[in-house]
Amino acid sequence: MTSRVALKVAMRAAGNSPGAAGALGASLSGRGSLWAPVAPAMASVGAPRGQSSPSAVAVEEQVRWVNLKVVRERMKTVANIGKICKAMKLVAAAKLRGVQSLQEASRPFATGLGEFFSTMDDLEAATTAEAAKTDPSGEGKKQLIIAVTSDRGLCGGVNAVIVKEVKQMMIEDAGATPTGIMLVGDKGREPMRRVHGDNIVVSFKDVFKAPITFPQVCMIAEDVLARSYTDVVLVYNRFKSAMEQEPVRKPIVGLSTVLDSASAFDEYEFDSDMDSAQVFVDLFEFQLATQLYNALLENATSEQAARMSAMDNASRNSTDMHAKLALTANRVRQAGITTELSEIVAGAASVS
Amino acid sequence: MVQYWRAAGVSYLRYCNLTADAVRSALKEQARKKTAAKVPFSMTKSTWEAGKPVSRVQLEPAGAEALQGAK
């Protein structure tokens, strides 16, 4: 309560120099600190010595008396926040190690299958050109975008970039293809609902609560397979390093494309009465599940890495803020002592 | 000629997960406990229509492994 009063009074006092207070506040909140609205008020109390009008000074002095307790309280809060952020960073670092090993193990499967199917794509490119001539509208194409986000926040920008990427895809498409959006992870829900709510077909929650397993991903993949989409695009954060995560769009070669290239396997013998088309259906299902598994793991790793770096920044910011508040508190305390002394001296002088 | 699992109405994914469960159930006690600990998950699937979630389903691991994990 008192902090809000102090904020309002300080803002009125800083009416002369909103620029200075704003600039100082901006520099304090440079790396995305949690306390941006408070900082300008504190800054305006301590910094501008150039306040000329006596009324402003009087108001500031009043504010100084109120503020010492508030500043000390704020220092305690900021120190607590710093401790929490440091703890979260350590937890994220531990989880990162775990998920990263899973993700590294899954990468060879994803790249291997991806390369295999990309050759299918090349074969298909030749035949699609022909097909496109006869059917230029590309009708019957239905696209599913699988947007992978995290369940929890405080992980930097990983979710925002995915939402941005999906929005960009929708803009590029400009409504040409009927598109469905599948959301894996809770954080994508609100932003997507606001803009493309009508396109969302299904959303999954609590996917990342326990370490992801392949059977779990198979359930999601079966949901995708049950819907009749011709193209599937995975949008997720690729984990490049603990510092770098980038959003990536991974198209999954559609079943029809794969089956059209089924003739590639005709040179090989299959045992029993199996034919290549049947094998391709199985392979396609497996590819979908593997790519999805890899995408979820990469996103989970990116999430932990981003959270680690975000919490690191936050704890560093809180240490900086604590130091600045300590300076302010000392200044306020000393000003109070000076005022008291001058009152005593003035009183003694008037008596003698 | 269709694969026998597809003829039985099971997708390849479910088929390979069932066979993986069967392999895992052949593990010795020590290793089986370790793998059983990794099995449980619980996610929520919501189907959306016209911008609103309309139904919600809780998905849990299906199959024999789940029962073994529960023990």
Side-chain angles (χ1 to χ4, degrees):
Chain A
M1 216 37 113
T2 40
S3 67
R4 260 185 244 140
V5 171
L7 183 72
K8 284 198 191 134
V9 175
M11 289 306 240
R12 246 180 276 138
N16 287 347
S17 58
L24 194 49
S27 70
L28 276 176
S29 56
R31 270 173 300 178
S33 89
L34 310 166
W35 297 94
V38 182
M42 294 298 134
S44 69
V45 168
R49 290 287 168 219
Q51 295 275 7
S52 45
S53 67
S55 59
V57 171
V59 172
E60 264 194 29
E61 291 217 8
Q62 263 182 353
V63 163
R64 283 198 189 118
W65 278 110
V66 177
N67 263 345
L68 181 57
K69 203 168 99 177
V70 167
V71 173
R72 288 234 173 95
E73 217 178 278
R74 188 68 69 186
M75 276 171 67
K76 214 166 52 166
T77 322
V78 167
N80 269 343
I81 300 257
K83 279 191 208 141
I84 293 172
C85 291
K86 216 173 285 184
M88 282 188 76
K89 175 188 160 193
L90 295 175
V91 168
K95 286 195 179 166
L96 175 67
R97 277 193 290 274
V99 192
Q100 194 173 354
S101 59
L102 277 179
Q103 171 252 329
E104 277 169 7
S106 83
R107 242 194 207 174
F109 290 92
T111 45
L113 279 171
E115 276 174 24
F116 174 75
F117 279 96
S118 67
T119 60
M120 296 286 125
D121 229 356
D122 292 337
L123 268 176
E124 180 51 22
T127 51
T128 337
E130 282 184 33
K133 283 187 214 148
T134 54
D135 175 31
S137 63
E139 65 175 62
K141 191 170 161 204
K142 270 174 74 183
Q143 192 189 50
L144 179 69
I145 300 176
I146 305 183
V148 186
T149 52
S150 66
D151 280 331
R152 292 235 179 88
L154 294 181
C155 50
V158 291
N159 296 324
V161 297
I162 296 294
V163 172
K164 207 160 64 163
E165 198 73 25
V166 174
K167 283 190 190 161
Q168 186 61 29
M169 286 171 77
M170 300 294 282
I171 291 172
E172 282 169 12
D173 188 50
T177 349
T179 310
I181 300 179
M182 170 188 274
L183 299 169
V184 180
D186 220 12
K187 278 290 163 183
R189 201 166 40 95
E190 271 315 298
M192 289 309 341
R193 192 180 62 80
R194 255 180 270 132
V195 187
H196 296 298
D198 292 332
N199 292 81
I200 304 179
V201 285
V202 66
S203 72
F204 287 88
K205 206 169 87 126
D206 293 337
V207 180
F208 300 101
K209 209 157 50 168
I212 313 165
T213 57
F214 192 69
Q216 182 180 5
V217 173
C218 284
M219 275 199 172
I220 304 178
E222 286 196 327
D223 186 87
V224 175
L225 292 166
R227 296 165 199 278
S228 54
Y229 282 98
T230 58
D231 296 306
V232 175
V233 185
L234 287 165
V235 186
Y236 61 99
N237 289 97
R238 199 167 77 91
F239 178 77
K240 288 169 91 172
S241 75
M243 300 297 141
E244 231 186 305
Q245 304 94 34
E246 63 165 1
V248 114
R249 298 181 203 176
K250 191 179 238 182
I252 303 216
V253 180
L255 184 57
S256 48
T257 316
V258 168
L259 287 178
D260 286 339
S261 327
S263 55
F265 272 12
D266 282 345
E267 298 174 11
Y268 297 89
E269 278 196 35
F270 286 89
D271 62 39
S272 71
D273 332 289
M274 212 84 80
D275 64 5
S276 50
Q278 291 304 319
V279 174
F280 267 113
V281 176
D282 291 345
L283 208 50
F284 170 73
E285 292 185 0
F286 185 63
Q287 186 223 187
L288 179 64
T290 314
Q291 299 284 17
L292 192 56
Y293 182 57
N294 184 58
L296 292 185
L297 280 175
E298 297 249 359
N299 202 66
T301 321
S302 305
E303 174 201 340
Q304 296 301 341
R307 183 167 295 131
M308 212 173 82
S309 106
M311 290 296 106
D312 186 37
N313 281 339
S315 61
R316 201 178 309 134
N317 280 348
S318 77
T319 320
D320 290 346
M321 184 164 270
H322 190 270
K324 287 199 164 69
L325 285 172
L327 290 176
T328 315
N330 279 330
R331 237 193 322 258
V332 169
R333 188 178 52 86
Q334 286 162 358
I337 292 169
T338 312
T339 324
E340 254 184 81
L341 273 174
S342 59
E343 279 178 6
I344 292 168
V345 167
S350 69
V351 165
S352 64
Chain B
M1 182 44 204
V2 193
Q3 293 100 321
Y4 51 90
W5 56 85
R6 209 165 290 280
V10 173
S11 72
Y12 176 72
L13 291 177
R14 196 166 292 191
Y15 164 71
C16 76
N17 277 313
L18 283 172
T19 49
D21 289 347
V23 170
R24 261 180 255 130
S25 69
L27 283 169
K28 289 189 183 163
E29 196 57 46
Q30 190 78 320
R32 192 199 285 198
K33 276 203 208 120
K34 268 201 277 183
T35 57
K38 293 188 198 163
V39 165
F41 64 83
S42 171
M43 40 184 205
T44 324
K45 175 173 109 165
S46 312
T47 352
W48 287 57
E49 240 167 80
K52 277 195 173 16
V54 286
S55 72
R56 196 179 299 183
V57 176
Q58 198 77 14
L59 296 176
E60 308 257 319
E65 189 65 18
L67 299 172
Q68 286 178 7
K71 279 187 217 155

